[in-house]
Amino acid sequence: MGIEPGYASVVGLAAAHRARLVVVADEVVPASTRWVVGANAVDAHLVDAEYGRDFVADRVGPVALAYDGAPDEASGEPLRVVRGVEVGNVFQLGTRYTDALGATWLDEAGAAQPFVLGSYGIGVGRLLACIAEHHRDEHGLALPASVAPFDVAVVSLGRDPATAERARALAAALRGAGVTALLDDRDLGAGAKLADADLRGSPLRLVVGERGLRRGVAELRRRLATWRHDGPGTTRPGEVREVPLEDVVAAVRTERDALRSELHSA
């Protein structure tokens, strides 16, 4: 019939061949202009094809429309409409750039051939957006321990320079023990620092304050009491517990490992 696979088109087919076909088009096709269609020749396309002038369909309808509950003829089950995101992508670049660069290889006959390029990518920003959409609450991010850039947010509270110094020492000790720690020793009030810690979403928060230091303790809390796997909703923070300063590193590591274990077992 003169149709080239991969570059198929009804444009330009002989009348006898066209008469053997039933062409179905979505209702958006007649309403749109300047189509790019196959030319029935390898590596060839026709630009600015117009419905009614260059091609017509025998049947026009909402064939591209899928709705929640629409029948699936293949499985017999109703279709479900769900949200998705394009995280990975593949682009066939052909020889456009290698032709321009003169990048070639030698085939079996010793003739130079341009490299054919493909691009394969994963959108890191899109991945973060997916995680943020699923793991959050009204206070900000609530990142899973498997992807959080920091295991624990160390927050120094109080005006006493000794408090900030002790917080820095604890953060350094945690890092030395393989725990990623983000230290907040800014000259800000307690409310702003604690709110920022929740906003950033580190799984754990360690508060080093003047009152606690006088009793030899720091406050450790999970960002969330439990991890939700069914999307954002009503959440509650973990309970604050006091940890003796000499046990802080061990306690944080135990909590971090427990959080990771919970994710693997979910």
Side-chain angles (χ1 to χ4, degrees):
M1 296 181 68
I3 294 177
E4 180 66 34
Y7 306 91
S9 174
V10 297
V11 178
L13 286 185
H17 294 321
R18 175 63 180 83
R20 297 167 56 192
L21 299 176
V22 176
V23 179
V24 181
D26 185 71
E27 58 191 3
V28 74
V29 174
S32 304
T33 60
R34 302 186 62 184
W35 288 97
V36 177
V37 300
N40 289 322
V42 175
D43 292 333
H45 293 82
L46 301 175
V47 181
D48 294 337
E50 295 285 346
Y51 185 87
R53 182 192 69 187
D54 302 306
F55 66 99
V56 293
D58 301 298
R59 299 178 185 175
V60 178
V63 296
L65 177 64
Y67 53 90
D68 197 55
D72 179 3
E73 295 183 2
S75 67
E77 299 293 329
L79 295 174
R80 292 189 304 115
V81 176
V82 297
R83 298 185 64 187
V85 61
E86 179 197 7
V87 175
N89 46 61
V90 178
F91 296 103
Q92 168 60 276
L93 302 177
T95 62
R96 175 180 179 182
Y97 299 105
T98 52
D99 284 339
L101 294 171
T104 61
W105 59 282
L106 299 180
D107 63 17
E108 295 177 350
Q113 302 289 343
F115 287 102
V116 177
L117 295 184
S119 171
Y120 310 86
I122 294 179
V124 177
R126 299 183 189 189
L127 286 173
L128 179 58
C130 293
I131 295 169
E133 184 172 335
H134 197 67
H135 294 280
R136 72 182 195 277
D137 61 12
E138 65 272 20
H139 303 294
L141 295 174
L143 298 174
S146 57
V147 297
F150 297 97
D151 297 318
V152 58
V154 180
V155 182
S156 171
L157 297 184
R159 302 292 183 180
D160 187 350
T163 302
E165 187 58 36
R166 192 58 186 268
R168 295 188 194 102
L170 285 172
L174 287 166
R175 294 172 187 140
V179 177
T180 54
L182 176 65
L183 173 66
D184 187 353
D185 59 354
R186 297 173 297 169
D187 186 17
L188 293 176
K193 288 186 176 182
L194 297 179
D196 282 352
D198 281 346
L199 179 67
R200 295 186 179 112
S202 294
L204 299 171
R205 188 189 73 191
L206 182 72
V207 173
V208 182
E210 295 177 2
R211 288 182 295 179
L213 288 179
R214 285 195 289 268
R215 295 185 292 110
V217 298
E219 295 179 349
L220 181 61
R221 191 199 75 167
R222 286 190 179 193
R223 174 67 176 82
L224 295 180
T226 56
W227 292 109
R228 293 178 56 86
H229 299 277
D230 55 350
T234 302
T235 59
R236 60 184 179 86
E239 295 182 358
V240 175
R241 63 186 181 97
E242 294 184 341
V243 179
L245 295 175
E246 61 271 18
D247 297 334
V248 162
V249 173
V252 171
R253 291 185 63 179
T254 298
E255 283 290 322
R256 180 202 62 183
D257 294 344
L259 287 168
R260 292 179 178 177
S261 178
E262 290 172 14
L263 287 173
H264 290 309
S265 62

